[in-house]
Amino acid sequence: MENNVRPDSMARIDSIELANAFIAEQVEAVRKQVGNKKVLLALSGGVDSSVVAALLIKAIGKQLVCVHVNHGLMRKGESEQVVEVFGKELDTNLVYVDATDRFLNLLANVADPERKRKIIGKEFIEVFADEARKLEGVEYLAQGTIYPDILESIKQAEGKKAVKSHHNVGGLPEDLNFELVEPIKLLFKDEVRVVGEALGLPRKMVYRQPFPGPGLGVRCLGAITRDRLHALREADAILRDEFDKCGLAGKVWQYFIAIPDIKSVGVKDDSRYEGWPAIIRAVNTKDAMTATIEEIPYAVLNKITARITAEVEGINRVLYDLTPKPTGTIEWE
Ligand code: XMP
């Protein structure tokens, strides 16, 4: 527990120099902890796991085995980026698992958000454990735990109730009894990003907006279908592209599309066209406990609407969610 408390004397890592000193310190600590043993890491491609991966590659090179589970609920291009950056550029020991069918088959006809989260979390562990069992000589499990995660578990241990379960990865099965390696567990998110930059990770990865563990699964509202999930992924990619182009990408905390399981009547090429609405959500917050709405310029909204309705099969309307948190939560589910 003591190791889980950030000492008052620890300086805020806000420069590349401080980040480099932190990296050097952790490289030594990791080498000392794991010796010549293998370390396993679930690499989602998010900031935290990517920074841990890059740090461990520096410390122990090919002793690190990264497993990337594509649950079929990633945003457009994300799994490809993990393979490109880690598999190719950094020449990591990377195991890529396309588990799309496993996840989507289990999720078919499941509409309840908490059940969806539980299924995704449980299946993630099973897929990861299956891969871990195939590997030999692994004694350590690296995790991208950061300081807010530790503070959150303290809060939960004190009996404070969470609004949503927010589980990503729970405990592994008992036969996989790994010792943990958690090199960034005393860092706050902004510090993790500086360390990521110092490690030379692409800015796109380091400054990636937060993305929930259950991924697009909680944005394809209600029971997930492959066609609606596909429409969601494409519409979300257009939103991100337009935010990149107009400079909102670096400014807005979190922005995405959600698609409800309803259709409305519309018209396309002079014919009746029943389609789903795509809902734009763009919020700013400090700690995700409350959030305000980003005022997207009307011209940008128009452009996004025109592109999504023209380019994405199955969508005939675009809506803009103006609800702050509270009363809305950031995600719709
Ligand atoms: P809400 O919707 O609760 O979201 O206002 C607050 C922040 O948490 C993210 N979120 C999740 N993150 N697993 C996660 O890792 C989840 O199940 C989950 N649900 C919501 C959400 O994207 C926002 O940043």
Side-chain angles (χ1 to χ4, degrees), residues 141-188:
L141 179 73
Q143 283 192 339
T145 314
I146 63 171
Y147 206 47
D149 301 333
I150 293 192
L151 297 177
E152 181 64 20
S153 17
I154 294 172
K155 228 169 74 187
Q156 283 181 11
E158 286 168 354
K160 303 206 175 104
K161 204 165 169 270
V163 177
K164 300 177 189 180
S165 55
H166 280 218
H167 286 305
N168 298 325
V169 191
L172 285 173
E174 273 177 14
D175 65 304
L176 295 170
N177 193 12
F178 300 124
E179 191 180 312
L180 292 181
V181 179
E182 296 178 304
I184 58 170
K185 70 176 174 186
L186 296 185
L187 302 191
F188 288 101

Side-chain angles (χ1 to χ4, degrees), residues 42-64:
L43 177 60
S44 66
V47 188
D48 306 334
S49 66
S50 298
V51 168
V52 170
L55 189 59
L56 293 194
I57 290 163
K58 202 173 168 78
I60 55 170
K62 296 256 168 160
Q63 281 167 250
L64 175 71

Side-chain angles (χ1 to χ4, degrees), residues 117 164 166 168 210 212-214 219 253-254 288 325 329-331:
R117 275 198 176 75
K164 300 177 189 180
H166 280 218
N168 298 325
R219 296 177 181 172
W253 195 80
Q254 201 172 14
K325 177 181 181 175
T329 48
I330 293 177
E331 302 290 343

Side-chain angles (χ1 to χ4, degrees), residues 98-275:
D98 184 355
T100 304
D101 287 339
R102 272 177 79 157
F103 280 87
L104 295 190
N105 290 343
L106 282 172
L107 287 164
N109 304 314
V110 180
D112 177 65
E114 286 300 285
R115 264 193 73 208
K116 285 165 71 175
R117 275 198 176 75
K118 292 267 153 38
I119 290 172
I120 296 166
K122 185 165 171 282
E123 189 59 12
F124 187 91
I125 290 171
E126 279 178 23
V127 174
F128 184 69
D130 285 351
E131 292 307 314
R133 289 194 189 96
K134 289 184 201 160
L135 301 165
E136 284 184 8
V138 178
E139 292 188 16
Y140 293 89
L141 179 73
Q143 283 192 339
T145 314
I146 63 171
Y147 206 47
D149 301 333
I150 293 192
L151 297 177
E152 181 64 20
S153 17
I154 294 172
K155 228 169 74 187
Q156 283 181 11
E158 286 168 354
K160 303 206 175 104
K161 204 165 169 270
V163 177
K164 300 177 189 180
S165 55
H166 280 218
H167 286 305
N168 298 325
V169 191
L172 285 173
E174 273 177 14
D175 65 304
L176 295 170
N177 193 12
F178 300 124
E179 191 180 312
L180 292 181
V181 179
E182 296 178 304
I184 58 170
K185 70 176 174 186
L186 296 185
L187 302 191
F188 288 101
K189 198 77 171 191
D190 52 325
E191 299 179 298
V192 178
R193 296 192 205 278
V194 182
V195 170
E197 275 203 82
L199 285 162
L201 286 173
R203 280 185 71 80
K204 213 172 167 181
M205 210 165 225
V206 172
Y207 287 94
R208 203 179 87 150
Q209 55 169 316
F211 187 54
L216 297 182
V218 287
R219 296 177 181 172
C220 190
L221 309 178
I224 299 167
T225 56
R226 287 180 194 246
D227 53 356
R228 196 154 50 89
L229 180 62
H230 178 73
L232 168 60
R233 183 173 285 121
E234 294 300 319
D236 188 70
I238 291 172
L239 177 79
R240 287 198 285 150
D241 184 42
E242 291 302 325
F243 266 44
D244 279 341
K245 284 185 188 150
C246 71
L248 279 175
K251 187 175 159 254
V252 181
W253 195 80
Q254 201 172 14
Y255 49 96
F256 56 87
I257 297 286
I259 303 192
D261 188 13
I262 52 165
K263 280 190 171 175
S264 67
V265 176
V267 57
K268 203 171 188 177
D269 302 328
D270 291 332
S271 300
R272 181 183 172 102
Y273 184 69
E274 289 184 11

Side-chain angles (χ1 to χ4, degrees), residues 45-101:
V47 188
D48 306 334
S49 66
S50 298
V51 168
V52 170
L55 189 59
L56 293 194
I57 290 163
K58 202 173 168 78
I60 55 170
K62 296 256 168 160
Q63 281 167 250
L64 175 71
V65 183
C66 297
V67 177
H68 176 73
V69 177
N70 179 356
H71 50 20
L73 303 166
M74 305 292 282
R75 286 174 292 193
K76 191 170 180 177
E78 265 177 335
S79 283
E80 291 81 354
Q81 190 185 35
V82 171
V83 173
E84 184 61 37
V85 172
F86 289 96
K88 299 194 181 141
E89 289 170 27
L90 295 174
D91 192 25
T92 316
N93 252 334
L94 175 69
V95 180
Y96 171 77
V97 191
D98 184 355
T100 304
D101 287 339

